[in-house]
Amino acid sequence: MFKRKKRMVLAASVMLLAVALSGCGEEKSGGSLPKEVTIGYQVIPNAELFVKTQGLAEKAFPDTKINWKQFDSGRDVNTAVASGSIDLGLAGSVPVSIGIANKLAYKVYFLHDIIGDAESLAVRNASEIKGVKDLEGKKVATPFGSTAHFSLLSALKLGGVDLQKVTVLDLQPQDILAAWQRKDIDAAFVWNPVLAKLTADDGSVVISAKTLSEQGAITADVGIVRDKFAKDYPDFVKQYVGVLDDAVEEYRAHPDTVAEALAPVLSTDKDDALAQTKQLIWLTSEEQADAKYLGAEKDKSGFADVLKQTGEFLVEQKQIQSAPELSVYQEAILR
């Protein structure tokens, strides 16, 4: 998996110039650690956000410059990977399924969290929406191509709702919050911390990603790494996973301390931050090696099955033209 390709001297020079312009860390600093790395993250209460806020990656890699680049959705992360402007990134299982279907050159190296109640359908109390069926004739916002979008479409399908009778708007999380405050929308399927702000402002949850996962519509936040970076710097990827594992263990041992560290970046207090973290399932890499998750063997990966099923659903919903074979999703998991 980590076999290095031979390059002509001229091609290498061109690549180094492109890297310098893009800001990604491809120049080696001895061994197999880069001098610079760019990590695309999202403000989601999981282990990577804790690593970022506490500077744990900087401590683990003192000779590597760590650049953190914030994104609002996995769709934008896919675009960044395609342009070569990040080395590692976090995207939902839906945009990752789309990325693999579109042959983006990256691999899944970690599951940052399994999404539970952290993504839900919030409805305005004044709208009198009591269930998914009541969304007919209403305006519902969600970031297209996201796990929340997938969950919304799944909820509508499972609820027997005609999609043509619902006005579904493509808005990023912060735009959803603004539209909610203006009373331009009746409901939104979105994640924390915006979800918590909607429910605090005359909102209630009708259905969550956790409920939908119990009906087969599983979603997760996924760590992806560019193929070339993974091949050039396998030690960095392995050691970074170790940093994430340490963060997961710290959360399990001291949840209040972790919540207190996350609260400022989530724009909330410690108690609410802790409530938000509990709505996600944090797993160590050892736990993710279980066959029901990433798996230790290529043909035994429950998550590859999830990505394939997600792709087929997106084809059915006309979100993508086609989904590749299961083997393609299996090959896209780094081991």
Side-chain angles (χ1 to χ4, degrees), residues 28 84 87 131 181 190 233 242 276 287 313:
K28 297 183 180 179
D87 299 306
Q181 293 170 338
V190 69
Y233 305 110
Q276 290 188 35
E287 292 164 342
F313 179 86

Side-chain angles (χ1 to χ4, degrees), residues 46-58:
N46 56 30
E48 184 165 71
L49 190 62
F50 181 65
V51 167
K52 196 263 181 190
T53 58
Q54 298 301 102
L56 300 183
E58 287 80 358

Side-chain angles (χ1 to χ4, degrees), residues 41-312:
Y41 76 102
Q42 295 190 51
V43 181
I44 297 172
N46 56 30
E48 184 165 71
L49 190 62
F50 181 65
V51 167
K52 196 263 181 190
T53 58
Q54 298 301 102
L56 300 183
E58 287 80 358
K59 294 174 184 176
F61 304 99
D63 297 323
T64 299
K65 181 181 179 183
I66 308 292
N67 300 312
W68 293 94
K69 190 170 184 179
Q70 183 178 339
F71 291 89
D72 290 327
S73 71
R75 178 176 57 186
D76 295 337
V77 171
N78 276 346
T79 300
V81 170
S83 68
S85 61
I86 61 174
D87 299 306
L88 296 91
L90 181 154
S93 48
V94 172
V96 168
S97 179
I98 293 172
I100 294 170
N102 289 330
K103 300 180 180 180
L104 284 182
Y106 62 50
K107 296 284 190 297
V108 173
Y109 74 92
F110 197 76
L111 294 180
H112 287 299
D113 57 75
I114 305 300
I115 299 172
D117 293 326
E119 285 190 13
S120 299
L121 176 65
V123 300
R124 190 184 303 284
N125 292 331
S127 68
E128 298 185 353
I129 299 173
K130 304 301 181 182
V132 174
K133 190 68 177 177
D134 297 328
L135 292 176
E136 292 185 358
K138 304 294 186 180
K139 293 181 179 179
V140 187
T142 194
F144 280 17
S146 68
T147 50
H149 187 202
F150 170 74
S151 292
L152 174 61
L153 295 178
S154 298
L156 294 174
K157 180 180 179 181
L158 291 168
V161 179
D162 183 352
L163 186 59
Q164 301 301 317
K165 295 181 179 180
V166 182
T167 301
V168 182
L169 304 173
D170 179 13
L171 296 177
Q172 292 298 309
Q174 289 304 316
D175 296 325
I176 287 176
L177 178 58
W180 182 278
Q181 293 170 338
R182 294 193 304 267
K183 295 182 171 54
D184 289 344
I185 57 177
D186 304 296
F189 214 120
V190 69
W191 50 86
N192 280 317
V194 169
L195 173 63
K197 294 178 181 179
L198 301 188
T199 55
D201 182 13
D202 190 43
S204 300
V205 168
V206 166
I207 194 169
S208 71
K210 180 181 179 180
T211 301
L212 291 167
S213 70
E214 294 166 354
Q215 299 177 54
I218 300 170
T219 52
D221 288 315
V222 184
I224 52 92
V225 57
R226 288 192 301 115
D227 284 347
K228 184 179 184 304
F229 187 88
K231 290 176 182 178
D232 286 350
Y233 305 110
D235 285 353
F236 179 90
V237 178
K238 181 179 179 180
Q239 292 175 38
Y240 183 61
V241 167
V243 174
L244 294 169
D245 280 343
D246 288 344
V248 174
E249 296 294 0
E250 177 66 16
Y251 167 64
R252 291 175 177 176
H254 307 287
D256 287 338
T257 301
V258 172
E260 188 172 6
L262 294 179
V265 72
L266 294 173
S267 301
T268 189
D269 58 32
K270 185 189 75 173
D271 290 342
D272 184 58
L274 182 59
Q276 290 188 35
T277 61
K278 289 181 177 179
Q279 292 175 344
L280 296 169
I281 300 172
W282 298 22
L283 300 171
T284 64
S285 59
E286 182 178 356
E287 292 164 342
Q288 293 176 31
D290 189 287
K292 66 182 177 182
Y293 296 117
L294 296 183
E297 300 175 34
K298 184 180 72 173
D299 60 346
K300 294 181 180 179
S301 171
F303 190 67
D305 293 335
V306 168
L307 291 174
K308 170 62 174 173
Q309 292 164 11
T310 301
E312 291 174 344

Side-chain angles (χ1 to χ4, degrees), residues 22-33:
S22 68
C24 280
E26 295 293 337
E27 184 182 353
K28 297 183 180 179
S29 59
S32 60
L33 296 180

